[in-house]
Amino acid sequence: MALGPVGLMFWAGRDPAETLREVESLGIETGQLGIPGDMKLDEAARQAWRTALDDTGFRLVTVFAAYKGENYADIPAVQSTVGFIPRNTREERERRTLEVSDFAAALGVPGIACHIGFVPEDPHSEDRKAVVGMVRRVCDHAANNGQTFALETGQEPARVLVDFIREVDRPNLRVNFDPANMILYGTGDPIEALDEVAPYVVSVHCKDGDWPPEGNRTALGAERALGEGAVGIERFISKLKAIGFEGPLNIEREIEDRRQRLIDIRRGAALLNRLRM
Ligand code: MG
């Protein structure tokens, strides 16, 4: 058993062929495609992505859904705007997630994923019941498309996430493990968390970051280039080997500066290529 190749989490929105050429210029041939909330998912978009993927042989393992109106500025903003948690947008976001699943199916991608937001911890709350129902329906739709549905980690401790997954009780409900999010949201040591969620991990983000400032309960930590934050990428890769993970190591780098982003991805890829052997 061996870890998969280095991959990349990247976003649609520009010309698909140009987007894939840029990723491949980094020596990366696999990864995860994020779909902005306002992107039109019509037949023309499917066709353009299908052609670009066929022409390059690029392998997508996941399509990520994001939603209009999400705001990641700080913890209260995330709580009130992200994923399946805000009540007013639940219906519209459920519909959108099913559309993303169909889009991914048209491209032959075996999994979808998203941040569902902070899982309501009270098992008897109406919000919790509503979100459980929503995740079940997305899972069932994805299953009909032959897909897994993965929850991005980070916004709650591993134990809460595992309890939630057990309650939803769908065999294709999985985890996209992002070690940096556990740190950015201050939810726990990511390597210990990985042990707890290991049976559910279908894909990973290789991202780094620092803990939130001490004593501040609303700020998020800062994302860093791979190897420069508090994750301990060596530890993370060793743990992935230990749990028998075999998928790609998808670098995620979220800074605005496009040039610096590419430099950081190149460095990150070199680091991961050294560690994965
Ligand atoms: Mg991530």
Side-chain angles (χ1 to χ4, degrees), residues 7 23 47 56 62 97 101 114 118 132 156 168 172 175 177 184 190 194 239 241 252:
V23 178
Q47 195 57 53
T56 52
T62 318
T97 313
S101 168
C114 73
F118 285 88
V132 166
E156 50 278 311
V168 172
N172 64 331
V175 163
F177 191 86
L184 299 176
L194 183 48
K239 178 58 80 175
K241 288 178 186 168
E252 183 174 40

Side-chain angles (χ1 to χ4, degrees), residues 152 178 181 205 207 252:
E152 170 96 351
D178 184 326
N181 285 349
H205 282 166
K207 188 169 85 185
E252 183 174 40

Side-chain angles (χ1 to χ4, degrees), residues 32-249:
Q32 301 177 296
L33 179 67
I35 304 293
D38 57 1
M39 181 175 150
K40 231 174 152 184
L41 296 177
D42 55 9
E43 186 49 38
R46 293 179 187 203
Q47 195 57 53
W49 273 100
R50 236 186 337 237
T51 305
L53 289 166
D54 286 348
D55 288 352
T56 52
F58 194 92
R59 192 170 71 93
L60 280 183
V61 291
T62 318
V63 174
F64 260 82
Y67 307 98
K68 273 189 270 190
E70 289 185 314
N71 178 347
Y72 286 89
D74 56 22
I75 289 177
V78 171
Q79 274 166 336
S80 62
T81 69
V82 167
F84 293 0
I85 311 308
R87 290 177 198 160
N88 295 343
T89 48
R90 269 189 204 138
E91 246 183 75
E92 150 200 336
R93 289 181 180 183
E94 181 172 335
R95 243 188 344 262
R96 175 69 177 179
T97 313
L98 306 189
E99 263 176 45
V100 168
S101 168
D102 293 343
F103 178 79
L107 307 184
V109 181
I112 58 164
C114 73
H115 278 277
I116 64 165
F118 285 88
V119 168
E121 290 193 33
D122 173 3
H124 306 295
S125 74
E126 285 307 312
D127 283 329
R128 169 87 169 205
K129 285 181 203 154
V131 173
V132 166
M134 199 170 160
V135 172
R136 283 182 181 149
R137 291 189 295 278
V138 172
C139 283
D140 293 344
H141 188 93
N144 279 331
N145 280 329
Q147 295 161 338
T148 52
F149 174 43
L151 309 178
E152 170 96 351
T153 53
Q155 288 151 357
E156 50 278 311
R159 175 75 33 86
V160 174
L161 187 64
V162 168
D163 284 347
F164 179 79
I165 289 172
R166 290 196 179 130
E167 185 180 344
V168 172
D169 193 26
R170 289 293 185 272
N172 64 331
L173 183 58
R174 309 295 285 276
V175 163
N176 183 81
F177 191 86
D178 184 326
N181 285 349
M182 309 286 311
I183 289 176
L184 299 176
Y185 287 86
T187 40
D189 178 74
I191 314 303
E192 286 167 25
L194 183 48
D195 263 329
E196 281 189 68
V197 302
Y200 303 103
V201 174
V202 66
S203 53
V204 298
H205 282 166
C206 294
K207 188 169 85 185
D208 214 337
D210 289 332
W211 294 94
E214 215 161 319
N216 185 332
R217 301 173 63 105
T218 61
L220 291 162
E223 198 213 339
R224 299 280 178 227
L226 211 57
E228 293 174 11
V231 166
I233 298 300
E234 275 179 49
R235 254 183 355 138
F236 177 53
I237 299 300
S238 308
K239 178 58 80 175
L240 286 175
K241 288 178 186 168
I243 67 168
F245 181 73
E246 294 179 295
L249 304 170

